[in-house]
Amino acid sequence: MNPEFSRNHFELLGLPVAYSIDAIALDNAYRELQGRVHPDKFASAGEAERRVAMQWATRANEAYRTLRNPVDRARYLLGLRGFDTQEESNTSMPPDFLMQQMEWRESVDDGRSRRDRAALESLRGEIEASRAEMHALLARALGGDRNYDAGCSLVRKLRFLDTIEAEIDEALEAMAEGAR
């Protein structure tokens, strides 16, 4: 077991450093790497070699998890480029997105209070459409445009979409539990 030590997740998996990656190539690269470094292959090896195998397997798992998720991949890629998405500290958003946030939150509250499953599912569809649009913008910003500031802003927006979607899920779960 001597995989080449790489500086980043993309190199570890032999993939180009880019936001847009081939999901099948990612899966294949991960399986190939795990086949070489999985701790089970080193069960009869010495303790030090088993420990190194475990470290490589852990690193491969982390790389795969990060690159598999588009928002995590964007955040990681931005970090490699020296940009911090400032998700915890920078809550500034364009006014139109702030208005959209308020409308979505009101829709969640309304759907929850009226116990309107269809309205919440419809809202989820709207959120998913916005997410798809933002992912396309993110691919462009981190790809050909190399607009990393826009990429950071989009990651923050996508994080909000995750939050609002979790609120929708909670409301739907509460309705399902109440129906039992």
Side-chain angles (χ1 to χ4, degrees), residues 98-99 173:
L98 290 173
M99 289 301 295
E173 285 178 28

Side-chain angles (χ1 to χ4, degrees), residues 110-177:
D110 186 49
R112 180 180 299 144
S113 66
R114 292 186 302 122
R115 301 187 58 75
D116 188 344
R117 180 174 282 286
L120 290 169
E121 291 291 352
S122 176
L123 180 58
R124 182 197 311 272
E126 187 178 330
I127 299 293
E128 288 172 359
S130 290
R131 182 187 316 279
E133 182 180 327
M134 285 184 204
H135 280 296
L137 291 171
L138 192 54
R140 193 169 74 213
L142 298 182
D145 290 356
R146 290 182 173 38
N147 185 342
Y148 303 123
D149 289 326
C152 289
S153 177
L154 287 161
V155 167
R156 289 191 302 273
K157 288 178 180 180
L158 284 161
R159 183 171 178 180
F160 172 78
L161 293 185
D162 290 343
T163 301
I164 196 77
E165 196 165 44
E167 291 176 20
I168 293 169
D169 290 343
E170 289 171 13
L172 290 170
E173 285 178 28
M175 284 182 213
E177 288 175 9

